[in-house]
Amino acid sequence: MGQVSIKNKRGQAAVFVIIGLVILIAAFTIFFMQRTAIEKPVETQAEKQPQFAGHAELRNYVGSCLQRAVLQGLEMMRLQSGYIDIPLGSNVLEAGGDRAPYWLTADKVAIPSLGFMEKELGDYVNKEVISCVNGFKDFKNQGFKVDYGNIKTNASMEKAVVVNVNFPIAMKKEGIAFEENDFVYTVPI
């Protein structure tokens, strides 16, 4: 009877060792599969990054102009009751150098619509980005040949302020050429 219980204990121990190995192999497999799944999007993202340093500089340059224009435009709208350019004939409250139109008067309601604010922000961003890039003189001074087209901006104010800018830009230097067209800046509400 003593020998049977030792064999049973050895058999049970072998079963536990096998189960432990299966769990260990499963854990390693899951770990490596997750790691591979995480690395692949990063590799894909890296492939989408500009291949030429000037390309990255261009994206950052226009992106910083876009960011500044959007934030300035939103701040003006905040301070001026939803307007960037206060309409002529608006009743205006002036305090501390700031001007804000009344939305309600005795004879009219003048609350700007969401569509109006989106268009006004888009128009403001167009003007400011063109002014900011200054004909890409900084790039031209570095020896780049720069051609660019008309800028078109679409602002959307829903769950976030999303400003999409289509601004075709083609740059060339020392036989390397690249183009960039679309820029996006998002501000959470």
Side-chain angles (χ1 to χ4, degrees), residues 147-167:
D147 294 315
Y148 58 95
N150 294 328
I151 186 171
K152 295 175 188 164
T153 302
N154 180 28
S156 173
M157 299 176 176
E158 293 181 14
K159 294 181 181 180
V161 176
V162 179
V163 179
N164 292 297
V165 175
N166 181 271
F167 191 16

Side-chain angles (χ1 to χ4, degrees), residues 48-130:
K48 292 180 183 178
Q49 295 299 320
Q51 300 298 316
F52 182 59
H55 197 173
E57 291 169 0
L58 173 66
R59 286 205 58 76
N60 292 336
Y61 186 73
V62 175
S64 68
C65 289
L66 175 60
Q67 177 184 6
R68 187 172 75 217
V70 170
L71 294 177
Q72 285 175 346
L74 289 173
E75 182 65 6
M76 289 172 69
M77 293 175 97
R78 182 185 73 80
L79 293 172
Q80 297 179 162
S81 303
Y83 295 98
I84 290 178
D85 295 317
I86 299 173
L88 294 173
S90 296
N91 293 327
V92 178
L93 171 66
E94 295 190 38
D98 292 329
R99 299 179 61 216
Y102 289 105
W103 279 358
L104 302 172
T105 64
D107 52 334
K108 68 178 181 177
V109 176
I111 300 172
S113 70
L114 185 60
F116 174 84
M117 290 188 287
E118 290 171 341
K119 180 173 179 350
E120 194 163 36
L121 180 61
D123 292 345
Y124 180 79
V125 168
N126 279 352
K127 290 188 306 189
E128 292 300 310
V129 168
I130 288 295

